[in-house]
Amino acid sequence: MAHPVQTHGEPGLRLAGLRGVAADFSSDQRAFKTASWGKAMMWIFLLSDTFVFGCFLIAYMTARMSTPVPWPNPSEVFALHIGGQDVPLILIAIMTFVLISSSGTMAMAVNFGYRRERRMTAVLMLLTALLGATFVGMQAFEWTKLITEGVRPWENPWGAAQFGSTFFMITGFHGTHVTIGVIFLLIIARKVWRGDFDVERRGFFTSRKGRYEAVEIMGLYWHFVDLVWVFIFAFFYLW
Amino acid sequence: MSETTAHAQGPTVQAQEHGQQHPIRLYLLVWGLLFVLSAFSYMVDYLGIQGYLRWTLILLFMMLKAGLIVAVFMHMAWERLALVYAILLPPLLVLVFVALMVSEADYTIFTRLAFFGAAP
């Protein structure tokens, strides 16, 4: 039954399972057969980014576990005073829903991109960018509120000083990723709107033919930003 | 799934162009599930659940959300196994780093308490 992996031209019947993994990695061409180089490179970049965020979260864990000073209660720190009472974590909850919605619109943009519905794709990407910008705006509001209350990278009014440094470091780095993502979204959305991927217009930097796969690669980055927030939400705001 | 046969039909470029076409319904379903799971993890805090139950629930909802995003939104469920392993296995090794730092943090707080007392 098992056919050998073909080395050129048409992809023949490829092995599945672990044998397929071994065959893909030991082949004389690229290892990630069904993923183009662009997609594979974005994945490898995201893997490296995973390690960076992983290191930040581990540093935060180490700081929090090793301090004898009480850690501020995030549930109270991030509460908002609405209608005469404090609602715990409400701002973070809204930010989470905004970011998840942006992931939803992005996934649909990728889908419409492969259907070659250019305007719908561009509109969904612009909506994603708008939700991303909303998220950054809310984060700016959150930072402003905490800075007004006296939180600094070296101190805060509620306890362990490390709270300030880890908070600004982790949410700041994530916010930077969202901001870069919004810019990236606007660039690709413009290309989609102009029809660059329909006429295979060559890229400014790369001189390579533009394809609708760029939307999916953009989507990988955007979903990753949402993915990181899932971990920050659990470890920073709920712990 | 039967990706092997699906990709065997056309040239590689075509397989890439049409390889990640899935019904909109699936994306909407995952979107809804992510909303529900986020609401659940928010409720854990709102209801003030503490202790091991809090940890279990938080990590469970976190992993389910992360899994849905990676598998469906990032199309990992439909990629070749070589890519899946190359991307998903290395982050697992970070858990070793976590274990090292837990041990290190325990030692740091032990020395802090032993030499400086509870007050900083």
Side-chain angles (χ1 to χ4, degrees):
Chain A
M1 272 297 286
H3 292 254
V5 176
Q6 296 200 350
T7 49
H8 275 293
E10 300 80 15
L13 194 62
R14 294 202 196 96
L15 299 169
L18 276 176
R19 282 179 178 280
V21 175
D24 285 356
F25 273 115
S26 58
S27 64
D28 60 349
Q29 294 179 316
R30 55 207 179 95
F32 308 120
K33 295 293 185 192
T34 51
S36 68
W37 67 268
K39 205 157 132 181
M41 288 308 113
M42 177 52 90
W43 267 116
I44 286 164
F45 165 73
L46 294 180
L47 181 63
S48 72
D49 229 10
T50 306
F51 293 140
V52 174
F53 276 109
C55 287
F56 284 170
L57 285 171
I58 290 172
Y60 150 68
M61 177 197 76
T62 312
R64 184 163 174 175
M65 284 179 74
S66 61
T67 173
V69 186
W71 197 261
N73 182 358
S75 185
E76 290 164 13
V77 172
F78 300 103
L80 281 191
H81 203 68
I82 298 172
Q85 56 172 6
D86 283 331
V87 188
L89 276 185
I90 186 69
L91 184 64
I92 309 304
I94 299 170
M95 284 166 77
T96 303
F97 287 124
V98 167
L99 207 58
I100 286 174
S101 296
S102 77
S103 238
T105 51
M106 186 68 232
M108 288 168 70
V110 174
N111 202 287
F112 280 103
Y114 281 131
R115 291 168 196 222
R116 298 186 165 271
E117 292 185 34
R118 155 172 94 80
R119 283 173 194 277
M120 191 66 182
T121 310
V123 167
L124 279 167
M125 289 183 84
L126 288 176
L127 193 61
T128 310
L130 187 69
L131 287 165
T134 309
F135 178 89
V136 178
M138 292 171 80
Q139 196 170 54
F141 172 79
E142 182 196 22
W143 275 45
T144 311
K145 180 172 170 285
L146 289 181
I147 291 168
T148 317
E149 287 170 351
V151 183
R152 298 288 182 275
W154 54 87
E155 67 179 0
N156 71 76
W158 312 288
Q162 295 94 323
F163 174 82
S165 48
T166 45
F167 170 76
F168 288 122
M169 186 78 193
I170 294 173
T171 60
F173 204 64
H174 179 262
T176 309
H177 273 75
V178 180
T179 309
I180 293 171
V182 169
I183 297 165
F184 192 6
L185 272 166
L186 294 176
I187 293 170
I188 304 290
R190 176 169 175 263
K191 284 174 182 265
V192 172
W193 187 263
R194 269 202 315 202
D196 282 11
F197 301 142
D198 294 308
V199 297
E200 295 192 325
R201 183 175 170 145
R202 288 179 184 274
F204 177 70
F205 280 126
T206 59
S207 318
R208 284 171 189 275
K209 286 177 180 173
R211 289 193 288 127
Y212 271 101
E213 200 190 26
V215 182
E216 194 193 346
I217 294 171
M218 166 69 239
L220 285 179
Y221 178 86
W222 192 258
H223 296 311
F224 176 78
V225 169
D226 188 24
L227 182 67
V228 169
W229 185 253
V230 169
F231 287 89
I232 294 176
F233 181 59
F235 290 129
F236 203 90
Y237 295 102
L238 295 178
W239 180 6
Chain B
M1 309 261 204
S2 58
E3 61 175 331
T4 316
T5 45
H7 287 301
Q9 285 161 2
T12 319
V13 176
Q14 208 185 353
Q16 282 161 10
E17 282 287 317
H18 304 283
Q20 299 295 351
Q21 283 236 47
H22 312 288
I24 287 280
R25 194 159 40 86
L26 181 64
Y27 293 117
L28 291 174
L29 176 74
V30 171
W31 190 351
L33 276 174
L34 288 173
F35 254 81
V36 171
L37 287 170
S38 297
F40 280 173
S41 39
Y42 179 60
M43 286 313 283
V44 171
D45 186 70
Y46 194 79
L47 298 175
I49 297 169
Q50 297 298 335
Y52 282 114
L53 182 62
R54 182 189 185 90
W55 267 108
T56 314
L57 290 174
I58 288 174
L59 292 182
L60 177 72
F61 297 142
M62 181 189 84
M63 288 318 289
L64 284 174
K65 278 169 74 180
L68 280 173
I69 292 171
V70 175
V72 180
F73 279 176
M74 299 173 94
H75 299 141
M76 196 56 118
W78 299 282
E79 297 291 357
R80 284 286 290 173
L81 215 50
L83 182 71
V84 176
Y85 281 157
I87 302 302
L88 293 189
L89 285 185
L92 276 181
L93 296 177
V94 172
L95 290 177
V96 178
F97 193 10
V98 173
L100 289 175
M101 293 319 287
V102 166
S103 151
E104 176 69 16
D106 280 346
Y107 177 70
T108 308
I109 192 156
F110 165 73
T111 48
R112 277 177 175 167
L113 289 173
F115 291 99
F116 304 119

